[in-house]
Amino acid sequence: MARTLYVGNLPWATRAEDLAEIFSSYGEVLSSRIISDRQTGRSRGFGFVEVRDEDADAMIAALNGAELGGRVIIVNEARERQDVRRR
């Protein structure tokens, strides 16, 4: 089983590879991605890391509130996406 973790308040220059490297110190990372703005292509300051279920709680405990690039990051279990329709 896998769980997806939300990672917020990321520095703008953070890459998906950076997330994978940081989280891999605490367990197996299956995938990572940074969310970018559709119009500008610029990072929106958050991303997601998919990890093995048995590693997720340790990663949350270790990295929630940790400092990355001068910013305190937020790490918690991702919630199911709500269907948001923009007009």
Side-chain angles (χ1 to χ4, degrees), residues 1 3 13-14 16 20 22 25 27 29 35 41-42 47 49-50 59-60 65-67 69 71 76 81 83 86:
M1 285 297 287
R3 282 168 56 189
T14 305
I22 293 162
S25 299
V29 174
I35 306 304
R42 201 178 115 182
V49 180
E50 186 178 13
M59 290 177 174
I60 292 170
E67 187 174 316
R71 299 185 75 160
N76 54 42
R81 183 177 176 164
D83 186 22
R86 293 191 176 182

Side-chain angles (χ1 to χ4, degrees), residues 47-76:
F48 297 94
V49 180
E50 186 178 13
V51 301
R52 290 183 351 160
D53 190 41
E54 55 268 18
D55 297 331
D57 291 329
M59 290 177 174
I60 292 170
L63 294 169
N64 187 39
E67 187 174 316
L68 177 63
R71 299 185 75 160
V72 177
I73 63 172
I74 299 163
V75 180
N76 54 42

Side-chain angles (χ1 to χ4, degrees), residues 2 10 14-15 29 31-32 36-37 56 61 67 72 79 86:
L10 291 171
T14 305
R15 300 172 305 147
V29 174
S31 69
S32 62
S36 57
D37 185 272
E67 187 174 316
V72 177
R79 292 180 281 198
R86 293 191 176 182

